[in-house]
Amino acid sequence: MVIGVIYAVLFWTATIVLVLGVANKIRIYAKTPAPLKIPTTPAPVTQSGVFLRMFQEVFLFKSLFRADKLLWILGMLFHYTMLIIVLRHFRYVQDPVWGVIQFVQPFGIYAGFLFVIGLLGLMARRVFIDRIRYITSPSDIAMLLLLILIGVSGLMMQFVSPTNIIMVKAFFRGLIAFDWQPLPADVPLLIHLGLVATLMLIFPISKLLHAPGIFFSPTRNQIDNPREKRHVSAWAAELDKQGKTYLDELDQGK
Amino acid sequence: MADYDIPKITGEDGIVDIPNLQPDAMKGHGPWVSKPEFQEDMHFPTDFTMPENVENYGDASTLVENWKERALDKMGDLKSRYRSLQVFLDICVKCGACTDKCHYYIGTTDPKNMPVARQDLLRKVYRRYFTFAGKFFGKMGMPGFVGAAELTEDVVKDWYNYYHQCSQCRRCSVFCPYGIDTAEISMAAREILDHIGMGQKYCTEIMGKLNKIGNNLGLPEAALADTLEGLEEDIFDDTGVDVKLPLDKKGSDILLITPSADFFAEPHVDGLMGYAKVFHELGLDWTLSSYASEGANFGMFIGSYENMRRISLRIRKAAQDLGVKRIVFGECGHAWRVAYSFLNTLAGPFDFLDQNYPVPQHVLEITEPALAAGKLNIDKSQNDDKVLTFHDSCNIARGSRMGDKPGGQFVLPRNVIKAVCNNYVDMPADTIHDATYCCGGGGGILTDDLMEIRVKGAQPRMEALKHVTDQHQVTHMAAICAICKSQFTKVVPYYGFTMDMIVSVHQLVSNAIVLKGQLTEEEIEARDAEEEAERIAAKEAREKAAAEKAEKESKDSAN
Ligand code: SF4
Ligand code: SF4
Ligand code: SF4
C-alpha cells in the first residue's frame, strides 16, 4: 500500500506539473507579441492555407522530410508508435474501453518494438554523426534513455514478467476518483511508471515543449498578407501613437 | 590572393558535399567594433571604452558598466516582445536537421556555424538565467547537463564573432521541423551586443549616413542629381531617346525607392537604366527622392525595430512630401523583404496612396505583366551573347513574395529573363527557389573586414554556378539584390569566374528593349560619325583660325 500511496502522490504531482506547466508556457507564448510578419515564404495567403501548412508540419513533418530522410523515418516511426502506444494505454483508465482503443490493442505490441527501434536509431545518430554529436547535451541523451527504458520496461511486462493488470487498472481508476489503491510491487512496473512520471515532470521545462510550441511558430503559422493587412503589435503601436522613435522615449503613464 | 584556403569547387553535380566539422576553424575577433559616437545616433548606450585592438574585443574592461546584467535585461526584454525569440529558444529539440543547411558551415566547417549551434550560443545563456532547468543545474554547478552556460566574456566574444557569420538568409528555417529561424536569433543577439558596447562598425556607420543624408553611401542631393543626369546622357547616347531619371519631382505618380548602389556600382546601375527605360516606355510618371534615396534598411540586420522603423518612415515622408500615388521598389533583396513584409507595419497605413496597386510594389511586378501583355518592344537577340542563370536572393525567396500567388517571387524574375533572353538555364533544384543558397554577403557582413567568411560562405552557390557553366555553357548569372550583386562581383574571381558575369535583371531588359523612336545601331553610328565629323571640322576650323592668328601675330611682331 505504501508503494501505492507514493506512486499516487507522484502521479498527481506529475499531472499537475504537466498541465499547469504547459498551460503556463502556452499562456506566455500566446501573450508574447509577434511584431513583424515573418512567415518563411512561399507561405499561404489565407487562413485555411495556414491550417493546411500546419497540418502537414504537425502530422507529416513536411519540412523535416525535405531536410533529412533518415531522420524523418526515425521521427515518424517514434512519434506515431508512441501515439499508438499512448492510445493503447487508455484501457488502463477507461471503463468501458472505447472501440478505437480496443482496435489499437494488437498494434500496440508491435508498436512497442518499433518505438524502441526508432529511439535506438535516434540515439545512434547522436553517437555516430559528428554534427549531431556536437550539438547533443547530456540531457538529450538522458531523455532518449528515459524513453528507451520506458519502452523496454513496458515490453518486459508484456513478454517477460507480466504484472497484475487488474490491480494496475484499479490503481489508475482510483487516481482519477481520488481513491488510494495498491500497486503490484513488480520492479519493471515500478520502473516503467516512475519513468513516465519523470517524463511528465520534465515536459514543461525541457525541449519537449516543441509539442505545444510548434503551433506558435511565427514562421509557420502566419498568413502571408502584409501588404493587404496592416499588422502591428501593441508595443509598436505605442510608438505610432505617441509619435516617438525609440521605446525608451515613450511616456509610460498611458 | 588571400591568406586562407579558398574552398575547392568541382562543378560535378552542383551540390557541395557536407564536410566534417573542425572546431574553432573560424574562431576570431569578428568585424570592427563601432565607436560610441556612432552608437549614440542609433540610441544605443555609449558608456563603453573603444577596445585598443581587436584582441580586446569583448573584454569586460571595454564593455559598458554592468554589462552582464544589461545583456540579460535586454534578453529578457526582447523575449517578452518577440514571440519568435521566446518560442525558438524553447522548442529546438537538437534534431540536427538544420546542421548541414548553412552555407557558412559548409564553407568553413566550423561547427558553431551550424544553425542550431549558432542559436545555442544564445540559447545556453537563456537556459541558464531564464529557465528552471538551467537555474537548477546551474546552482548544482553543472549547467552543461541541460545545455546551459554562464554568461562570460568568452561567450560575448563568441556571440560577436559568430553572429556576424550569419547572413540571416533563413535557409535553416525552411528545413527546421518547427520553422526555427536562426536569423531571428542572430538579430536578437546583435541587438543585445549593441546594448553592451559591441555594435558593428559597418552597419552602424552606414545607418548613420542614411539618417543624416538619406542613403547608405552618403551621396548628397547634388551628387545624386549629377549622377542621374549622367545616366540620362548615357541612355541618350546609346539610343537617341530622351529618357528621364527625375529626382524630387513633385506630383509624380510613382516614387521609386532603390538601393543606392544602383546609382553608381556595376552592374547595378545598368539595372537602374533598365527601370527608367521601362517606365519611359509605359508612359509612367515617376521620380526618385533625395530624402529617401535608399532602398536597403540595415535596421533589420541589427535586429532593431526602432531603427528599422526610423529608416522606413523616411519613405513615408518622401511619399507624402512628393504627393505620389504609388511606391515602387527596385532590385534589392533585403530592401524588398523589409518593404514587402514590414513597410506597412513600420510606416503604414498607406491609405493616402492609390489602393488599386499593392503598397509597396516591386519593379518586377510592373515589368513582368507589361512584357507578358506585349507592351514593351523587345529584341531578344541583343542578349544572344549570353546564356543566363538566375540567383534567387534569399530575402526575396524566403522572406517575401511578388505577384498574387505564393512563389511568385520565383516566377516573375524568371519570366522577365526569359522574355528578354533566348538562353536560360536553372541551377540545380536544391540550390534555387526557397532552397537557394545565400551569396555569402548578406545580413550586414558585406564589409572588407569579413572577407574570409564572405568568400567561404559563397562556396555552395559557386559550386552550383560552376555546374551550369561547365555543363550548360552558362555565361552570366542574373541577380535582383544589391548586396548579392556587390558580393558576387567581388567574390566570383576567387573561384575562377570573371566579375562581369554578374548582371542585373533589368540590365537584360535594358539591353533588349527597343524604345519608341530608338535609333538603330547604324543610325547611332551615323549620328556618332556625323557628330564626330562636326567635331573634327570645328576643331580644324579652330586650329586654322588659331594658326592664322599666330601667323598674323608673328608677322606683326616681326614688323
Ligand atoms: S532543425 Fe530546428 S529543431 Fe532541429 S536542431 Fe535545427 S533548429 Fe533545432
Ligand atoms: S540564417 Fe542563413 S546564415 Fe544564418 S544560420 Fe541560418 S542558414 Fe546560416
Ligand atoms: S545578399 Fe542576397 S543572397 Fe545574400 S542574404 Fe541577402 S538576399 Fe540573400
Side-chain angles (χ1 to χ4, degrees), chain B residues 33 39 44-45 48 58 63-64 67 70-71 74 78 122 151 153 155-164 186-200 302:
Chain B
V33 167
Q39 294 296 92
F44 294 130
F48 63 93
L63 302 177
V64 298
W67 63 272
R70 283 160 77 179
K74 195 52 181 144
L78 290 175
L122 198 71
L151 177 54
E153 288 170 52
V155 170
V156 171
K157 289 176 186 189
D158 264 0
W159 281 357
Y160 192 69
N161 185 33
Y162 290 103
Y163 285 119
H164 289 105
S186 81
M187 288 169 190
R190 292 185 193 178
E191 169 98 333
I192 295 172
L193 286 165
D194 265 322
H195 280 85
I196 58 171
M198 293 282 286
Q200 184 214 18
I302 61 168

Side-chain angles (χ1 to χ4, degrees), chain A residues 135, chain B residues 91-99 116 119 175-178 180:
Chain A
I135 58 164
Chain B
I91 69 174
C92 169
V93 296
K94 313 294 172 81
C95 70
C98 60
T99 52
V116 46
Q119 298 159 23
F175 296 98
C176 171
Y178 315 112
I180 295 175

Side-chain angles (χ1 to χ4, degrees), chain A residues 25 29 32-33 38 41 66 125-126 131 139 217 219-220 224 226-227 230-231 240 244 246-247, chain B residues 43 83 90 94-95 99 145 170 173 178-179 306-307 309-310 340 344-345 360 365 398 401 434:
Chain A
K25 273 294 180 184
Y29 296 159
T32 309
I38 58 165
T41 57
R66 283 183 73 183
R125 283 179 79 249
R126 294 209 180 273
R131 285 173 286 116
S139 59
S217 176
T219 55
R220 293 289 182 265
D224 175 21
R227 289 193 290 192
R230 183 155 189 246
H231 170 95
D240 287 349
K244 297 284 169 56
Y246 292 98
L247 289 168
Chain B
H43 222 83
R83 183 184 292 164
D90 267 344
K94 313 294 172 81
C95 70
T99 52
F145 183 78
R170 316 183 89 206
S173 85
Y178 315 112
E306 295 136 283
N307 282 300
R309 178 171 169 274
R310 179 177 170 191
Y340 172 85
N344 196 9
T345 299
E365 290 177 322
R398 295 186 279 260
R401 172 162 57 96
D434 64 341

Side-chain angles (χ1 to χ4, degrees), chain B residues 181-248:
Chain B
D181 180 6
T182 316
E184 291 291 307
I185 311 275
S186 81
M187 288 169 190
R190 292 185 193 178
E191 169 98 333
I192 295 172
L193 286 165
D194 265 322
H195 280 85
I196 58 171
M198 293 282 286
Q200 184 214 18
K201 179 172 180 244
Y202 171 70
C203 281
T204 321
E205 282 193 15
I206 279 196
M207 293 171 71
K209 281 188 219 157
L210 195 159
N211 287 332
K212 237 193 241 127
I213 297 167
N215 56 63
N216 289 354
L217 297 169
L219 210 60
E221 187 189 336
L224 187 56
D226 262 8
T227 310
L228 296 175
E229 221 169 277
L231 295 178
E232 288 174 352
E233 280 167 22
D234 287 352
I235 299 178
F236 183 79
D237 288 348
D238 275 2
T239 63
V241 180
D242 204 10
V243 173
K244 291 286 172 218
L245 281 89
L247 181 66
D248 296 329

Side-chain angles (χ1 to χ4, degrees), chain A residues 25-46 53-54 57-58 61-69 71-72 79 122 125-126 129-143 201-202 204-233 235-249, chain B residues 18-21 23 41-43 77-84 86-88 90-101 105 110-112 114 116-117 120 126-127 131-133 144-147 170 173-181 184 211 304-310 336-337 339-349 358-362 365 395-407 409-410 434-435:
Chain A
K25 273 294 180 184
I26 288 179
R27 188 185 58 85
I28 291 171
Y29 296 159
K31 79 154 205 255
T32 309
L36 293 165
K37 281 278 191 167
I38 58 165
T40 310
T41 57
V45 294
T46 59
R53 182 183 204 179
M54 288 306 291
E57 290 298 342
V58 171
F61 307 174
K62 191 178 173 202
S63 296
L64 185 60
F65 182 77
R66 283 183 73 183
D68 186 336
K69 302 286 184 285
L71 178 55
W72 181 81
H79 282 92
L122 292 174
R125 283 179 79 249
R126 294 209 180 273
I129 303 178
D130 66 347
R131 285 173 286 116
I132 318 298
R133 190 164 60 231
Y134 181 90
I135 58 164
T136 298
S137 313
S139 59
D140 298 317
I141 301 278
M143 211 169 284
L201 283 169
I202 62 170
I205 57 162
S206 70
K207 65 180 187 179
L208 298 176
L209 285 170
H210 69 279
I214 184 172
F215 295 98
F216 293 91
S217 176
T219 55
R220 293 289 182 265
N221 75 7
Q222 287 187 338
I223 305 171
D224 175 21
N225 62 354
R227 289 193 290 192
E228 292 76 20
K229 196 161 173 289
R230 183 155 189 246
H231 170 95
V232 198
S233 66
W235 62 261
E238 206 56 33
L239 290 170
D240 287 349
K241 216 159 80 194
Q242 299 191 21
K244 297 284 169 56
T245 307
Y246 292 98
L247 289 168
D248 58 10
E249 298 166 342
Chain B
I18 303 306
N20 287 332
L21 50 86
D41 180 51
M42 322 287 311
H43 222 83
D77 169 45
L78 290 175
K79 82 176 181 60
S80 74
R81 284 193 286 123
Y82 289 87
R83 183 184 292 164
S84 52
Q86 170 66 64
V87 171
F88 294 164
D90 267 344
I91 69 174
C92 169
V93 296
K94 313 294 172 81
C95 70
C98 60
T99 52
D100 55 353
K101 302 298 185 283
Y105 170 69
D110 190 318
K112 285 180 182 154
M114 299 188 294
V116 46
D120 277 348
Y126 164 77
R127 298 274 298 155
T131 68
F132 174 82
F145 183 78
V146 289
R170 316 183 89 206
S173 85
V174 170
F175 296 98
C176 171
Y178 315 112
I180 295 175
D181 180 6
E184 291 291 307
N211 287 332
S304 169
Y305 187 100
E306 295 136 283
N307 282 300
M308 184 161 66
R309 178 171 169 274
R310 179 177 170 191
W336 183 240
R337 181 176 182 207
Y340 172 85
S341 293
F342 306 157
L343 195 68
N344 196 9
T345 299
L346 296 167
V359 184
Q361 201 174 11
H362 196 281
E365 290 177 322
N395 273 263
I396 293 174
R398 295 186 279 260
S400 77
R401 172 162 57 96
M402 286 179 201
D404 304 331
K405 292 189 203 63
Q409 65 268 40
F410 313 131
D434 64 341

